[in-house]
Amino acid sequence: MKNKNKFLNSWGSKLLASVFLTTTLFTSCSEEKTIELEPFNSISETAAFTTPALIELSVTGMYNAAALGDFNGGNPRGYIFGAAFVQQGDNRGEDAVNLATFYQLTYTGTYDTTTANNTFYWADGYRLINRANIIIEGVTNALQAGTITQAVADDYIGQAKFFRAIAHNEILIHHARPFQDNPSTNLGIPYREIPNNTATNIEASLLQGRNTVAECYDKILKDLDDAEALTASKSVRSLTAKIERITKEAAIAYKTRVYLHMRRWDKVISEGIKLNGLYTITANPDTPFSSNLSNTESIFSLAQSAVNNPGPNGALASMYHPPFPLPSNGRGLVAISPIIWRNPSWLSDDKRRAEGTMVVTGATAYYPGTKFTKKYKDGVNKTDASPVIRYAEVALNMAEAYARQNDLVNGLARLNSVRNRSLAAPVTQSYTATSFANNVELLRAILVERRIEFVMEGRRWADISRLQNDDLAPIVGIPAKVANGGFSSLALASPAYALGTPYTGALTVNAIPYTDFKFIWPIPILETNSNPTLRAQQNPGY
């Protein structure tokens, strides 16, 4: 698509978007139905689906919304999938260290209904959902009018349903209790399937309450099944579009993630098997990041460009890479925690520790001795793609499912398929059949491997949520963390990050019990102020 990343991010504010804005939008429908397009200038929402070129740009705008978001009125911060879901997912867990005020409320669990990061996670998530619903409606009408072919319409609708599914899923795991905890009675989130582009639809949205957790998962899977059936395969996509555009394979891969949360081990395996032979784990663990839109492992990532990215206050390299050798290389607001850095399962010569390639150590002028990720490398132009799902995750999802079904042979094979490429001496360091006495030991090794492999990729919170009170490897609440602000001097950082033994230093950010209302986020006050239905369904304690 030659117009990729040309769709300006103003659609989120100009179309009738998130339901929490409905009071304002309801009174100004006639002025707000505008999409700004490059090079087409401003056109109406209706006109946006009148030609194949404009429809393609409308679909591209959906990707732009997912990658950038609209933080507090026109500021791109990477909500909901461009960077923010990585940063929020990391900072809710114990394997990252927050060094500044940006993510402090997330890191320390001191958020409330007004917290900006939580508010715009919800808001931009629902903006993306609304945009997907507009695409589905507009493309359906364009097909009926003969503007586009059935195959083109199917592909576009499939992509929109994928975004609708994963946006709901992402909001759900932060704002609701996990699936294993009374899913038929616990409230999830409102699953929006109609566009808020008319007064009638807005009224319907205001009356719609929260679906149960079980209902949300059913709808997520229905959308992902539709996306698999409708969306083009990666074999049809060309060049970087195989990764930066949604494919049939991306829907399959994401289903392994959803089924893992539902504890449907059989479905994790059967969906994963569909991808056998279509992806391979790269020989070097850095390749999915150094060649993030051209490798055999990345399944779906959101592209960024030098002129279209979440900016210095959101881009992954800005947030995660420290400010050297030049200040433009990053701000280094989030570091790797010694809790995972010193985990004995992460071998000292593991290639994922490679200094200057996958890790960079803080220098004298900035958190000396502290370990930062270098997965995101372009602090200058901020072009690092945001990884949504990699084949390494599919392999570890399957490994876990096999282990839980007491299939040690296949579980071990899938685990080693990810781990071995990072070992300095696989012949002697690889796990074998004698490494684990039973499937529980194998399972726990797989769960640690997930923490190592996906450190600073935002996956930690999802695992913390789904493993609450697990029968084999339970996590109880949100684990305690090292101090907010990290280790300010080399004298403090050096012993904290010293390898050889597990970290036993201070954990001054207290654990949050699962029973505490702060385990899940509140519905933002901007939503509840204008939506009486959701105001009555606020999460307890807020």
Side-chain angles (χ1 to χ4, degrees), residues 197-249:
N197 56 358
T198 67
T200 299
N201 285 3
I202 290 173
E203 251 340 281
S205 290
L206 287 170
L207 294 173
Q208 181 188 353
R210 297 169 67 175
N211 294 88
T212 66
V213 169
E215 289 170 343
C216 287
Y217 273 94
D218 286 344
K219 288 177 178 293
I220 288 166
L221 286 171
K222 175 60 167 63
D223 274 345
L224 290 174
D225 283 339
D226 288 350
E228 178 188 356
L230 295 171
T231 312
S233 171
K234 73 163 185 166
S235 62
V236 177
R237 306 275 192 245
S238 61
L239 302 174
T240 59
K242 293 178 182 292
I243 295 174
E244 69 182 6
R245 283 293 183 264
I246 296 160
T247 61
K248 182 184 303 293
E249 292 78 15

Side-chain angles (χ1 to χ4, degrees), residues 418-431:
V418 176
R419 182 174 181 266
N420 282 6
R421 57 102 175 261
S422 297
L423 300 178
V427 173
T428 57
Q429 294 174 327
S430 178
Y431 289 134

Side-chain angles (χ1 to χ4, degrees), residues 477-521:
I478 302 175
K481 309 172 188 180
V482 302
N484 181 67
F487 307 93
S488 58
S489 69
L490 185 62
L492 293 174
S494 290
Y497 285 93
L499 298 180
T501 58
Y503 178 76
T504 57
L507 299 172
T508 59
V509 176
N510 293 331
I512 296 177
Y514 179 65
T515 54
D516 194 303
F517 73 95
K518 288 292 183 77
F519 182 84
I520 54 176
W521 285 351

Side-chain angles (χ1 to χ4, degrees), residues 56-79:
E56 182 180 11
L57 280 175
S58 298
V59 172
T60 300
M62 183 170 57
Y63 284 84
N64 204 44
L68 298 185
D70 180 18
F71 186 91
N72 201 23
N75 299 304
R77 290 278 182 87
Y79 289 84

Side-chain angles (χ1 to χ4, degrees), residues 114-127:
T114 67
T115 302
N117 282 331
N118 305 34
T119 294
F120 290 98
Y121 212 86
W122 174 284
D124 283 339
Y126 274 106
R127 284 194 180 103

Side-chain angles (χ1 to χ4, degrees), residues 14 19 58 82 95 127 147 150 163 174 187 193 204 236 244 278 370 374 379 381 392 465 468 538:
K14 301 240 176 180
V19 174
S58 298
D95 291 341
R127 284 194 180 103
T147 306
Q150 183 75 58
F163 269 134
H174 286 286
L187 291 180
E193 297 173 281
V236 177
E244 69 182 6
L278 299 179
T370 294
K374 204 178 179 185
N381 292 314
S465 176
Q468 291 303 304
Q538 177 64 277

Side-chain angles (χ1 to χ4, degrees), residues 213-413:
V213 169
E215 289 170 343
C216 287
Y217 273 94
D218 286 344
K219 288 177 178 293
I220 288 166
L221 286 171
K222 175 60 167 63
D223 274 345
L224 290 174
D225 283 339
D226 288 350
E228 178 188 356
L230 295 171
T231 312
S233 171
K234 73 163 185 166
S235 62
V236 177
R237 306 275 192 245
S238 61
L239 302 174
T240 59
K242 293 178 182 292
I243 295 174
E244 69 182 6
R245 283 293 183 264
I246 296 160
T247 61
K248 182 184 303 293
E249 292 78 15
I252 295 168
Y254 207 93
K255 280 194 285 181
T256 70
R257 181 184 290 179
V258 174
Y259 280 124
L260 199 69
H261 281 252
M262 297 177 73
R263 307 177 70 81
R264 290 289 308 276
W265 318 127
D266 58 329
K267 296 296 289 184
V268 173
I269 293 168
S270 62
E271 292 293 339
I273 287 173
K274 294 179 185 178
L275 299 180
N276 283 355
L278 299 179
Y279 295 90
T280 57
I281 306 296
T282 59
N284 188 315
D286 186 54
T287 302
F289 305 96
S290 59
S291 301
N292 50 50
L293 294 178
S294 178
N295 66 82
T296 62
E297 181 177 327
S298 295
I299 297 175
F300 178 52
S301 301
L302 275 170
Q304 313 288 345
S305 74
V307 296
N308 211 30
N309 59 65
N313 291 330
L316 288 166
S318 293
M319 298 291 96
Y320 285 5
H321 195 291
F324 52 81
L326 297 172
S328 58
N329 287 135
R331 301 178 62 187
L333 303 188
V334 186
I336 301 171
S337 172
I339 294 173
I340 187 60
W341 184 257
R342 291 176 58 176
N343 189 292
S345 294
W346 194 354
L347 301 182
S348 60
D349 55 2
D350 189 303
K351 295 175 184 177
R352 291 168 293 193
R353 294 187 186 274
E355 183 72 26
T357 302
M358 299 203 73
V359 172
V360 58
T361 303
T364 302
Y366 193 84
Y367 288 93
T370 294
K371 302 297 180 180
F372 295 86
T373 188
K374 204 178 179 185
K375 286 181 174 179
Y376 314 109
K377 305 175 189 303
D378 188 6
V380 176
N381 292 314
K382 305 171 182 63
T383 60
D384 292 282
S386 175
V388 177
I389 192 162
R390 298 192 278 124
Y391 189 59
E393 182 183 342
V394 175
L396 291 177
N397 291 348
M398 296 178 72
E400 180 175 339
Y402 280 124
R404 288 182 181 275
Q405 293 189 328
N406 209 27
D407 183 344
L408 276 68
V409 173
N410 280 306
L412 178 63

